[in-house]
Amino acid sequence: MKKYKLGDIATVEISGVDKKITDGEKEIRLCNFVDVYYNWAITIAQHDSFMLATARPNEISKFQLKKGQVALTKDSETRDDIGISTYIADDFENVILGYHCALISPNKDILDGCYLNALLHTDYAKKYFACNASGSGQRYALSVEALNSFPVPIIPLHEQKQIGEIFSALDKKIELNRQINQNLEAMAKQLYDYWFVQFDFPNEEGKPYKSSGGEMVWNEKLKRNIPVGWHCGNLFEIAVFTNGLACQKFRPKDDEVPLPVIKIREMHDGISVDTEEVTSNIPESVKVYNGDVLFSWSASLEVMLWAYGLGGLNQHIFKVTSANDFPKSFYYFQLLDYVDVFKKMAEARKTTMGHITQDHLQQSTIAIPDNKDIADKFEELISPIFKQIVKLQEEISNFIKQRDELLPLLMNGQITIE
C-alpha cells in the first residue's frame, strides 16, 4: 500500500480565528475545539448550536466549512486531546473553523475526506500525533510540518469512498438518535416549565391552574407568587445526594470482575478503553445503573441521566436519588433548573470553577407542592420519555462500539468490502 505525505494530497490550514465579536467584521458562527473534539462528523443540523462571533473576509474565505473537509484539534493542555478529527459532512455558508484547530481540504482525485477522518481515528494516527507533538507540561501542539508529514496509506478511491460510506451511515444513525433525544429532553423540559415554573399544572377540572385563576400567594424567600398549598423548601427535601468514592483507593483484585469508574470525562464521553476500573465490591449506594441521575458538583456543573452501563461512581459526582418519595422527573428537572443558580454563584465568585457543597444544597430555595400528587402525575407523563432517552443512548453506545471495532479491521485490510 503506497503512502503519501498528507501535505502532498491535501491543503492544511491552521485557524487563528478567535471567539471575539469585533466591530466592522462580518458576523459568523464558529465551529470550535469542543465541536471538533466531540463529533465524528459536523452536519448542517448542528448549525444553530455554533457560537456567534465575527471574522475578517480573508478568514471567512480560508476557513469556511465545506463538505468533504476534515477539521482537527491542533493543540491542547493534554497530549491525548490533540489530533482528534471530525468530518465536515455538509456545506456551510457562514460557519468557519475556530482557533486551536486545523482545516484539511483533501485533493478529491486522490483522497476521500470521510476515509481520512476514519484513518485519523485509528491507533496508527494517534501514535504518530503522540510522537510528533511538541511541548510539555503546559500545552502540546501539532505543527504544520508535523501535519503535512503525516503518512497517509492510499487505497483505490472507490474503496476509500466505500469505507467512508460505512462510517457515514453509522454516524447518521448516531446523529439521528442524538437529535431525537434532544427533542425528547426539550419536550419534557417544556412541560416541566409549564407545570412547575409557570404553575399551569392541571387543576381539579384539568384546566391550567394559574391561567384559570388558581389562587396564588406571595412567598418572601422565593420573591414570587406560588400556588396556595405550596411552600419554599430546598433540594434536600426532594432528593438525596450521595458522593462518589476516591476510586483509586479501591482498585480491583486479580480475581474480581471490575467496574468502570465514572468520572466527569465518562459523563461526557461514556465508557472507553481509557476508563479506569474499580472493584465491584463497593457499596450499592455508589454503583450507577442506566437511568440514574448524576450531578457533577466540582469544576463542571452538570446534570445527566446515565445510560452507559453499570459503573462505580468517583468522587466529585453525586448520585441523586429520591427523598420523601418524590419522583425522578421532579427532582431531575428541579436540580437541572437550579444548576443555573449555582453557575451564577460561581460567576459572582469570579471563578469558572464550580464547587457545590452540602451547604449550598441546604441553602437552595425551590417551590414544592405540599401534596406530591402533582409531581406523581408529572412522573406518569415523563417516565416513558426518560426510558426512551436512555434506550436511544444505549443504542448510540452500541453504534459507537461497532464503529470502533470495525475501524481497525477495515483500515488494516483484515476485512474487505465487496
Side-chain angles (χ1 to χ4, degrees):
M1 186 184 297
K2 190 172 181 179
K3 292 183 179 179
Y4 289 84
K5 289 183 178 180
L6 180 61
D8 292 337
I9 54 175
T11 302
V12 180
E13 298 280 2
I14 305 300
S15 175
V17 183
D18 60 34
K19 301 178 180 180
K20 296 177 182 177
I21 294 179
T22 304
D23 290 342
E25 294 184 349
K26 185 176 180 181
E27 186 176 280
I28 48 90
R29 287 188 179 269
L30 208 58
C31 176
N32 284 312
F33 184 101
V34 291
D35 301 310
V36 174
Y37 187 91
Y38 285 114
N39 292 285
W40 179 276
I42 298 292
T43 68
I44 201 72
Q46 295 159 271
H47 177 276
D48 292 346
S49 68
F50 297 129
M51 71 174 294
L52 291 172
T54 61
R56 298 187 296 272
N58 65 317
E59 292 174 326
I60 295 171
S61 63
K62 187 180 285 189
F63 297 109
Q64 182 177 334
L65 299 187
K66 299 182 181 69
K67 183 176 181 178
Q69 293 175 323
V70 173
L72 178 140
T73 59
K74 187 193 74 68
D75 55 87
S76 183
E77 288 82 5
T78 59
R79 192 184 292 270
D80 291 340
D81 291 340
I82 58 174
I84 307 299
S85 67
T86 187
Y87 175 66
I88 310 303
D90 293 301
D91 287 317
F92 292 84
E93 287 187 8
N94 68 332
V95 178
I96 67 176
L97 188 66
Y99 60 1
H100 303 311
C101 295
L103 187 61
I104 304 169
S105 302
N107 179 339
K108 295 181 180 180
D109 294 330
I110 302 173
L111 180 60
D112 179 72
C114 216
Y115 167 80
L116 175 62
N117 183 47
L119 177 66
L120 292 172
H121 279 88
T122 62
D123 288 338
Y124 165 81
K126 290 175 183 176
K127 287 176 183 176
Y128 174 87
F129 293 138
C131 292
N132 287 275
S134 61
S136 61
Q138 295 300 314
R139 197 164 192 86
Y140 297 88
L142 291 167
S143 66
V144 176
E145 291 73 24
L147 290 170
N148 278 326
S149 298
F150 173 66
V152 181
I154 291 296
I155 59 177
L157 194 59
H158 74 278
E159 291 183 20
Q160 292 183 41
K161 290 182 181 295
Q162 286 176 321
I163 290 174
E165 285 169 4
I166 289 173
F167 291 113
S168 289
L170 278 171
D171 190 66
K172 284 176 182 175
K173 291 180 179 179
I174 291 168
E175 183 62 27
L176 178 61
N177 275 16
R178 283 178 175 157
Q179 287 179 20
I180 293 171
N181 267 357
Q182 288 171 2
N183 290 336
L184 288 172
E185 177 99 11
M187 185 170 63
K189 179 67 166 63
Q190 189 174 34
L191 189 61
Y192 163 80
D193 288 343
Y194 191 65
W195 281 36
F196 298 108
V197 178
Q198 300 176 43
F199 302 124
D200 267 334
F201 52 87
N203 63 15
E204 294 177 355
E205 299 173 352
K207 297 178 180 179
Y209 179 85
K210 184 179 178 182
S211 298
S212 300
E215 190 177 354
M216 306 287 288
V217 62
W218 176 260
N219 185 278
E220 186 59 31
K221 285 186 179 179
L222 293 168
K223 303 296 182 187
R224 64 175 304 195
N225 286 316
I226 61 174
V228 169
W230 289 50
H231 66 276
C232 177
N234 62 37
L235 290 166
F236 276 145
E237 186 174 335
I238 62 171
V240 176
F241 296 82
T242 304
N243 196 22
L245 301 173
C247 285
Q248 70 272 18
K249 298 179 181 179
F250 299 88
R251 295 303 184 204
K253 297 177 182 177
D254 292 340
D255 59 344
E256 287 182 330
V257 177
L259 295 177
V261 175
I262 300 171
K263 296 184 175 182
I264 292 174
R265 178 175 176 175
E266 280 67 33
M267 285 181 67
H268 280 295
D269 302 343
I271 306 301
S272 72
V273 293
D274 299 321
T275 296
E276 295 176 22
E277 294 180 335
V278 66
T279 176
S280 55
N281 188 28
I282 56 175
E284 186 67 22
S285 61
V286 289
K287 288 182 180 178
V288 179
Y289 298 86
N290 283 356
D292 283 347
V293 176
L294 300 183
F295 170 37
S296 59
W297 55 265
S298 180
S300 174
L301 303 181
E302 296 177 64
V303 181
M304 74 169 296
L305 286 174
W306 178 256
Y308 299 107
L310 177 62
L313 191 64
N314 198 60
Q315 58 188 346
H316 306 305
I317 303 175
F318 288 127
K319 177 180 173 180
V320 188
T321 52
S322 174
N324 299 314
D325 291 328
F326 277 97
K328 180 190 297 184
S329 58
F330 184 69
Y331 63 75
Y332 171 81
F333 280 115
Q334 286 279 5
L335 179 58
L336 190 67
D337 242 10
Y338 215 82
V339 162
D340 288 336
V341 177
F342 290 142
K343 287 179 178 177
K344 288 175 183 175
M345 289 166 57
E347 289 172 8
R349 295 196 299 267
K350 300 188 183 303
T351 174
T352 57
M353 298 287 285
H355 188 84
I356 301 306
T357 66
Q358 297 279 346
D359 283 344
H360 291 129
L361 295 170
Q362 186 73 49
Q363 293 161 11
S364 61
T365 54
I366 57 174
I368 301 175
D370 294 346
N371 184 338
K372 71 177 190 64
D373 285 352
I374 297 169
D376 289 336
K377 288 177 182 176
F378 181 70
E379 174 73 4
E380 289 177 12
L381 294 173
I382 301 302
S383 180
I385 295 177
F386 276 5
K387 287 177 182 176
Q388 182 67 2
I389 289 172
V390 170
K391 178 176 176 291
L392 289 171
Q393 184 56 57
E394 289 171 346
E395 288 181 7
I396 290 172
S397 297
N398 287 332
F399 288 142
I400 291 173
K401 185 174 182 234
Q402 290 173 26
R403 185 183 69 193
D404 292 347
E405 290 174 350
L406 189 60
L407 182 60
L409 299 177
L410 281 170
M411 303 307 291
N412 294 334
Q414 290 174 263
I415 58 175
T416 56
I417 305 168
E418 297 297 332

